[in-house]
PDB file of all heavy atoms in Angstrom:
ATOM      1  N   PRO A  88      -4.040 175.048  67.859  1.00 85.00           N
ATOM      2  CA  PRO A  88      -4.909 175.860  68.737  1.00 85.00           C
ATOM      3  C   PRO A  88      -4.119 176.478  69.887  1.00 85.00           C
ATOM      4  O   PRO A  88      -3.285 175.812  70.489  1.00 85.00           O
ATOM      5  CB  PRO A  88      -5.938 174.855  69.239  1.00 85.00           C
ATOM      6  CG  PRO A  88      -5.870 173.694  68.317  1.00 85.00           C
ATOM      7  CD  PRO A  88      -4.483 173.656  67.769  1.00 85.00           C
ATOM      8  N   LEU A  89      -4.420 177.715  70.194  1.00 85.00           N
ATOM      9  CA  LEU A  89      -3.689 178.430  71.244  1.00 85.00           C
ATOM     10  C   LEU A  89      -3.903 177.876  72.635  1.00 85.00           C
ATOM     11  O   LEU A  89      -2.970 177.864  73.450  1.00 85.00           O
ATOM     12  CB  LEU A  89      -4.031 179.925  71.199  1.00 85.00           C
ATOM     13  CG  LEU A  89      -3.477 180.671  69.962  1.00 85.00           C
ATOM     14  CD1 LEU A  89      -3.839 182.120  70.070  1.00 85.00           C
ATOM     15  CD2 LEU A  89      -1.992 180.500  69.845  1.00 85.00           C
ATOM     16  N   PRO A  90      -5.097 177.415  73.015  1.00 86.00           N
ATOM     17  CA  PRO A  90      -5.226 176.846  74.349  1.00 86.00           C
ATOM     18  C   PRO A  90      -4.324 175.628  74.588  1.00 86.00           C
ATOM     19  O   PRO A  90      -3.761 175.478  75.644  1.00 86.00           O
ATOM     20  CB  PRO A  90      -6.717 176.434  74.443  1.00 86.00           C
ATOM     21  CG  PRO A  90      -7.387 177.322  73.464  1.00 86.00           C
ATOM     22  CD  PRO A  90      -6.414 177.538  72.365  1.00 86.00           C
ATOM     23  N   ASP A  91      -4.193 174.777  73.552  1.00 88.00           N
ATOM     24  CA  ASP A  91      -3.286 173.630  73.692  1.00 88.00           C
ATOM     25  C   ASP A  91      -1.823 174.097  73.821  1.00 88.00           C
ATOM     26  O   ASP A  91      -1.071 173.563  74.637  1.00 88.00           O
ATOM     27  CB  ASP A  91      -3.417 172.711  72.481  1.00 88.00           C
ATOM     28  CG  ASP A  91      -4.802 172.098  72.366  1.00 88.00           C
ATOM     29  OD1 ASP A  91      -5.523 172.112  73.376  1.00 88.00           O
ATOM     30  OD2 ASP A  91      -5.162 171.629  71.259  1.00 88.00           O
ATOM     31  N   LEU A  92      -1.471 175.084  73.035  1.00 87.00           N
ATOM     32  CA  LEU A  92      -0.110 175.623  73.095  1.00 87.00           C
ATOM     33  C   LEU A  92       0.147 176.277  74.459  1.00 87.00           C
ATOM     34  O   LEU A  92       1.242 176.157  75.006  1.00 87.00           O
ATOM     35  CB  LEU A  92       0.126 176.616  71.957  1.00 87.00           C
ATOM     36  CG  LEU A  92       1.520 177.222  71.895  1.00 87.00           C
ATOM     37  CD1 LEU A  92       2.571 176.169  71.619  1.00 87.00           C
ATOM     38  CD2 LEU A  92       1.555 178.301  70.805  1.00 87.00           C
ATOM     39  N   ALA A  93      -0.853 176.964  75.001  1.00 86.00           N
ATOM     40  CA  ALA A  93      -0.700 177.626  76.286  1.00 86.00           C
ATOM     41  C   ALA A  93      -0.444 176.612  77.405  1.00 86.00           C
ATOM     42  O   ALA A  93       0.435 176.825  78.257  1.00 86.00           O
ATOM     43  CB  ALA A  93      -1.941 178.467  76.614  1.00 86.00           C
ATOM     44  N   THR A  94      -1.180 175.512  77.420  1.00 87.00           N
ATOM     45  CA  THR A  94      -0.958 174.500  78.437  1.00 87.00           C
ATOM     46  C   THR A  94       0.414 173.850  78.276  1.00 87.00           C
ATOM     47  O   THR A  94       1.105 173.593  79.261  1.00 87.00           O
ATOM     48  CB  THR A  94      -2.052 173.399  78.399  1.00 87.00           C
ATOM     49  OG1 THR A  94      -2.073 172.836  77.079  1.00 87.00           O
ATOM     50  CG2 THR A  94      -3.403 173.966  78.767  1.00 87.00           C
ATOM     51  N   GLU A  95       0.838 173.656  77.028  1.00 88.00           N
ATOM     52  CA  GLU A  95       2.168 173.096  76.789  1.00 88.00           C
ATOM     53  C   GLU A  95       3.265 174.035  77.249  1.00 88.00           C
ATOM     54  O   GLU A  95       4.245 173.624  77.896  1.00 88.00           O
ATOM     55  CB  GLU A  95       2.320 172.821  75.285  1.00 88.00           C
ATOM     56  CG  GLU A  95       3.633 172.215  74.885  1.00 88.00           C
ATOM     57  CD  GLU A  95       3.715 172.000  73.384  1.00 88.00           C
ATOM     58  OE1 GLU A  95       2.693 171.653  72.761  1.00 88.00           O
ATOM     59  OE2 GLU A  95       4.793 172.246  72.820  1.00 88.00           O
ATOM     60  N   LEU A  96       3.116 175.341  76.959  1.00 86.00           N
ATOM     61  CA  LEU A  96       4.131 176.314  77.371  1.00 86.00           C
ATOM     62  C   LEU A  96       4.166 176.501  78.887  1.00 86.00           C
ATOM     63  O   LEU A  96       5.232 176.676  79.473  1.00 86.00           O
ATOM     64  CB  LEU A  96       3.874 177.659  76.676  1.00 86.00           C
ATOM     65  CG  LEU A  96       4.196 177.694  75.183  1.00 86.00           C
ATOM     66  CD1 LEU A  96       3.757 179.027  74.584  1.00 86.00           C
ATOM     67  CD2 LEU A  96       5.681 177.455  74.920  1.00 86.00           C
ATOM     68  N   GLN A  97       2.983 176.470  79.530  1.00 85.00           N
ATOM     69  CA  GLN A  97       2.976 176.603  80.973  1.00 85.00           C
ATOM     70  C   GLN A  97       3.561 175.379  81.643  1.00 85.00           C
ATOM     71  O   GLN A  97       4.178 175.490  82.708  1.00 85.00           O
ATOM     72  CB  GLN A  97       1.553 176.880  81.474  1.00 85.00           C
ATOM     73  CG  GLN A  97       1.165 178.306  81.240  1.00 85.00           C
ATOM     74  CD  GLN A  97      -0.129 178.677  81.969  1.00 85.00           C
ATOM     75  OE1 GLN A  97      -0.959 177.841  82.241  1.00 85.00           O
ATOM     76  NE2 GLN A  97      -0.266 179.956  82.259  1.00 85.00           N
ATOM     77  N   ALA A  98       3.398 174.210  81.028  1.00 86.00           N
ATOM     78  CA  ALA A  98       4.033 173.019  81.585  1.00 86.00           C
ATOM     79  C   ALA A  98       5.548 173.102  81.453  1.00 86.00           C
ATOM     80  O   ALA A  98       6.304 172.668  82.335  1.00 86.00           O
ATOM     81  CB  ALA A  98       3.508 171.771  80.883  1.00 86.00           C
ATOM     82  N   GLU A  99       6.017 173.697  80.352  1.00 87.00           N
ATOM     83  CA  GLU A  99       7.450 173.807  80.096  1.00 87.00           C
ATOM     84  C   GLU A  99       8.099 174.909  80.939  1.00 87.00           C
ATOM     85  O   GLU A  99       9.197 174.747  81.468  1.00 87.00           O
ATOM     86  CB  GLU A  99       7.676 174.100  78.608  1.00 87.00           C
ATOM     87  CG  GLU A  99       9.120 174.207  78.222  1.00 87.00           C
ATOM     88  CD  GLU A  99       9.280 174.507  76.734  1.00 87.00           C
ATOM     89  OE1 GLU A  99       8.351 174.251  75.965  1.00 87.00           O
ATOM     90  OE2 GLU A  99      10.364 175.023  76.380  1.00 87.00           O
ATOM     91  N   HIS A 100       7.441 176.078  81.032  1.00 83.00           N
ATOM     92  CA  HIS A 100       8.025 177.229  81.680  1.00 83.00           C
ATOM     93  C   HIS A 100       7.475 177.510  83.087  1.00 83.00           C
ATOM     94  O   HIS A 100       7.814 178.524  83.689  1.00 83.00           O
ATOM     95  CB  HIS A 100       7.802 178.475  80.816  1.00 83.00           C
ATOM     96  CG  HIS A 100       8.517 178.433  79.512  1.00 83.00           C
ATOM     97  ND1 HIS A 100       9.868 178.578  79.385  1.00 83.00           N
ATOM     98  CD2 HIS A 100       8.028 178.196  78.265  1.00 83.00           C
ATOM     99  CE1 HIS A 100      10.207 178.453  78.122  1.00 83.00           C
ATOM    100  NE2 HIS A 100       9.103 178.225  77.416  1.00 83.00           N
ATOM    101  N   GLY A 101       6.613 176.661  83.584  1.00 81.00           N
ATOM    102  CA  GLY A 101       6.049 176.893  84.907  1.00 81.00           C
ATOM    103  C   GLY A 101       4.859 177.859  84.816  1.00 81.00           C
ATOM    104  O   GLY A 101       4.337 178.126  83.741  1.00 81.00           O
ATOM    105  N   ASN A 102       4.483 178.383  85.952  1.00 81.00           N
ATOM    106  CA  ASN A 102       3.344 179.297  86.012  1.00 81.00           C
ATOM    107  C   ASN A 102       3.734 180.659  85.455  1.00 81.00           C
ATOM    108  O   ASN A 102       4.425 181.424  86.117  1.00 81.00           O
ATOM    109  CB  ASN A 102       2.831 179.420  87.434  1.00 81.00           C
ATOM    110  CG  ASN A 102       1.476 180.090  87.470  1.00 81.00           C
ATOM    111  OD1 ASN A 102       0.838 180.270  86.463  1.00 81.00           O
ATOM    112  ND2 ASN A 102       1.053 180.441  88.682  1.00 81.00           N
ATOM    113  N   ALA A 103       3.349 180.946  84.215  1.00 81.00           N
ATOM    114  CA  ALA A 103       3.723 182.194  83.550  1.00 81.00           C
ATOM    115  C   ALA A 103       2.481 183.024  83.266  1.00 81.00           C
ATOM    116  O   ALA A 103       1.412 182.489  83.071  1.00 81.00           O
ATOM    117  CB  ALA A 103       4.462 181.884  82.247  1.00 81.00           C
ATOM    118  N   GLN A 104       2.678 184.330  83.270  1.00 82.00           N
ATOM    119  CA  GLN A 104       1.598 185.240  82.934  1.00 82.00           C
ATOM    120  C   GLN A 104       1.395 185.189  81.420  1.00 82.00           C
ATOM    121  O   GLN A 104       2.348 185.190  80.640  1.00 82.00           O
ATOM    122  CB  GLN A 104       1.963 186.662  83.348  1.00 82.00           C
ATOM    123  CG  GLN A 104       0.944 187.690  83.004  1.00 82.00           C
ATOM    124  CD  GLN A 104       1.374 189.086  83.376  1.00 82.00           C
ATOM    125  OE1 GLN A 104       2.469 189.290  83.901  1.00 82.00           O
ATOM    126  NE2 GLN A 104       0.540 190.057  83.108  1.00 82.00           N
ATOM    127  N   ILE A 105       0.124 185.135  80.993  1.00 85.00           N
ATOM    128  CA  ILE A 105      -0.194 185.088  79.558  1.00 85.00           C
ATOM    129  C   ILE A 105      -0.797 186.423  79.146  1.00 85.00           C
ATOM    130  O   ILE A 105      -1.765 186.892  79.757  1.00 85.00           O
ATOM    131  CB  ILE A 105      -1.154 183.938  79.223  1.00 85.00           C
ATOM    132  CG1 ILE A 105      -0.496 182.609  79.545  1.00 85.00           C
ATOM    133  CG2 ILE A 105      -1.578 183.992  77.764  1.00 85.00           C
ATOM    134  CD1 ILE A 105      -1.402 181.415  79.313  1.00 85.00           C
ATOM    135  N   VAL A 106      -0.216 187.047  78.106  1.00 85.00           N
ATOM    136  CA  VAL A 106      -0.705 188.326  77.603  1.00 85.00           C
ATOM    137  C   VAL A 106      -1.068 188.146  76.144  1.00 85.00           C
ATOM    138  O   VAL A 106      -0.265 187.689  75.323  1.00 85.00           O
ATOM    139  CB  VAL A 106       0.364 189.432  77.731  1.00 85.00           C
ATOM    140  CG1 VAL A 106      -0.139 190.730  77.168  1.00 85.00           C
ATOM    141  CG2 VAL A 106       0.768 189.590  79.186  1.00 85.00           C
ATOM    142  N   ASP A 107      -2.292 188.510  75.778  1.00 87.00           N
ATOM    143  CA  ASP A 107      -2.754 188.429  74.411  1.00 87.00           C
ATOM    144  C   ASP A 107      -2.606 189.800  73.769  1.00 87.00           C
ATOM    145  O   ASP A 107      -3.391 190.692  74.013  1.00 87.00           O
ATOM    146  CB  ASP A 107      -4.226 187.975  74.353  1.00 87.00           C
ATOM    147  CG  ASP A 107      -4.682 187.657  72.955  1.00 87.00           C
ATOM    148  OD1 ASP A 107      -3.894 187.807  72.019  1.00 87.00           O
ATOM    149  OD2 ASP A 107      -5.862 187.261  72.795  1.00 87.00           O
ATOM    150  N   ALA A 108      -1.550 189.964  72.976  1.00 86.00           N
ATOM    151  CA  ALA A 108      -1.287 191.255  72.321  1.00 86.00           C
ATOM    152  C   ALA A 108      -1.567 191.178  70.830  1.00 86.00           C
ATOM    153  O   ALA A 108      -0.949 191.867  70.042  1.00 86.00           O
ATOM    154  CB  ALA A 108       0.178 191.653  72.563  1.00 86.00           C
ATOM    155  N   ARG A 109      -2.533 190.326  70.456  1.00 87.00           N
ATOM    156  CA  ARG A 109      -2.907 190.231  69.046  1.00 87.00           C
ATOM    157  C   ARG A 109      -3.873 191.364  68.709  1.00 87.00           C
ATOM    158  O   ARG A 109      -4.671 191.772  69.545  1.00 87.00           O
ATOM    159  CB  ARG A 109      -3.597 188.883  68.758  1.00 87.00           C
ATOM    160  CG  ARG A 109      -2.661 187.716  68.943  1.00 87.00           C
ATOM    161  CD  ARG A 109      -3.377 186.437  68.741  1.00 87.00           C
ATOM    162  NE  ARG A 109      -4.353 186.267  69.816  1.00 87.00           N
ATOM    163  CZ  ARG A 109      -5.342 185.376  69.804  1.00 87.00           C
ATOM    164  NH1 ARG A 109      -5.495 184.575  68.807  1.00 87.00           N
ATOM    165  NH2 ARG A 109      -6.173 185.305  70.825  1.00 87.00           N
ATOM    166  N   ARG A 110      -3.798 191.830  67.472  1.00 86.00           N
ATOM    167  CA  ARG A 110      -4.706 192.881  67.013  1.00 86.00           C
ATOM    168  C   ARG A 110      -6.104 192.293  66.930  1.00 86.00           C
ATOM    169  O   ARG A 110      -6.299 191.195  66.428  1.00 86.00           O
ATOM    170  CB  ARG A 110      -4.283 193.373  65.628  1.00 86.00           C
ATOM    171  CG  ARG A 110      -5.171 194.473  65.098  1.00 86.00           C
ATOM    172  CD  ARG A 110      -4.661 195.021  63.787  1.00 86.00           C
ATOM    173  NE  ARG A 110      -3.390 195.721  63.913  1.00 86.00           N
ATOM    174  CZ  ARG A 110      -3.263 196.959  64.371  1.00 86.00           C
ATOM    175  NH1 ARG A 110      -4.300 197.617  64.746  1.00 86.00           N
ATOM    176  NH2 ARG A 110      -2.067 197.514  64.421  1.00 86.00           N
ATOM    177  N   PRO A 111      -7.116 193.031  67.458  1.00 85.00           N
ATOM    178  CA  PRO A 111      -8.493 192.534  67.385  1.00 85.00           C
ATOM    179  C   PRO A 111      -8.941 192.414  65.943  1.00 85.00           C
ATOM    180  O   PRO A 111      -8.478 193.149  65.058  1.00 85.00           O
ATOM    181  CB  PRO A 111      -9.316 193.542  68.154  1.00 85.00           C
ATOM    182  CG  PRO A 111      -8.429 194.652  68.501  1.00 85.00           C
ATOM    183  CD  PRO A 111      -7.019 194.304  68.138  1.00 85.00           C
ATOM    184  N   LYS A 112      -9.891 191.549  65.694  1.00 79.00           N
ATOM    185  CA  LYS A 112     -10.423 191.343  64.357  1.00 79.00           C
ATOM    186  C   LYS A 112     -11.102 192.633  63.890  1.00 79.00           C
ATOM    187  O   LYS A 112     -11.504 193.488  64.698  1.00 79.00           O
ATOM    188  CB  LYS A 112     -11.440 190.209  64.342  1.00 79.00           C
ATOM    189  CG  LYS A 112     -10.831 188.894  64.736  1.00 79.00           C
ATOM    190  CD  LYS A 112      -9.902 188.402  63.700  1.00 79.00           C
ATOM    191  CE  LYS A 112      -9.357 187.038  64.077  1.00 79.00           C
ATOM    192  NZ  LYS A 112      -7.985 186.862  63.825  1.00 79.00           N
ATOM    193  N   GLN A 113     -11.291 192.798  62.601  1.00 73.00           N
ATOM    194  CA  GLN A 113     -11.857 194.019  62.022  1.00 73.00           C
ATOM    195  C   GLN A 113     -13.279 194.273  62.560  1.00 73.00           C
ATOM    196  O   GLN A 113     -13.626 195.407  62.810  1.00 73.00           O
ATOM    197  CB  GLN A 113     -11.889 193.915  60.491  1.00 73.00           C
ATOM    198  CG  GLN A 113     -12.090 195.226  59.806  1.00 73.00           C
ATOM    199  CD  GLN A 113     -10.933 196.204  60.009  1.00 73.00           C
ATOM    200  OE1 GLN A 113      -9.825 195.819  60.374  1.00 73.00           O
ATOM    201  NE2 GLN A 113     -11.176 197.449  59.778  1.00 73.00           N
ATOM    202  N   ASP A 114     -14.103 193.236  62.710  1.00 56.00           N
ATOM    203  CA  ASP A 114     -15.459 193.419  63.211  1.00 56.00           C
ATOM    204  C   ASP A 114     -15.472 194.001  64.623  1.00 56.00           C
ATOM    205  O   ASP A 114     -16.265 194.858  64.953  1.00 56.00           O
ATOM    206  CB  ASP A 114     -16.212 192.066  63.220  1.00 56.00           C
ATOM    207  CG  ASP A 114     -16.351 191.507  61.814  1.00 56.00           C
ATOM    208  OD1 ASP A 114     -16.244 192.298  60.851  1.00 56.00           O
ATOM    209  OD2 ASP A 114     -16.542 190.270  61.718  1.00 56.00           O
ATOM    210  N   ALA A 115     -14.564 193.527  65.457  1.00 54.00           N
ATOM    211  CA  ALA A 115     -14.487 194.008  66.831  1.00 54.00           C
ATOM    212  C   ALA A 115     -14.003 195.456  66.855  1.00 54.00           C
ATOM    213  O   ALA A 115     -14.471 196.262  67.681  1.00 54.00           O
ATOM    214  CB  ALA A 115     -13.568 193.126  67.657  1.00 54.00           C
ATOM    215  N   ALA A 116     -13.083 195.817  65.968  1.00 52.00           N
ATOM    216  CA  ALA A 116     -12.580 197.176  65.935  1.00 52.00           C
ATOM    217  C   ALA A 116     -13.655 198.139  65.470  1.00 52.00           C
ATOM    218  O   ALA A 116     -13.719 199.288  65.928  1.00 52.00           O
ATOM    219  CB  ALA A 116     -11.349 197.273  65.030  1.00 52.00           C
TER     220      ALA A 116
END
Side-chain angles (χ1 to χ4, degrees):
L89 291 181
D91 297 341
L92 181 63
T94 57
E95 181 182 322
L96 288 174
Q97 283 191 334
E99 181 181 339
H100 295 286
N102 193 11
Q104 178 183 0
I105 297 178
V106 178
D107 189 359
R109 295 176 293 167
R110 181 175 293 281
K112 300 290 183 221
Q113 195 66 19
D114 298 338

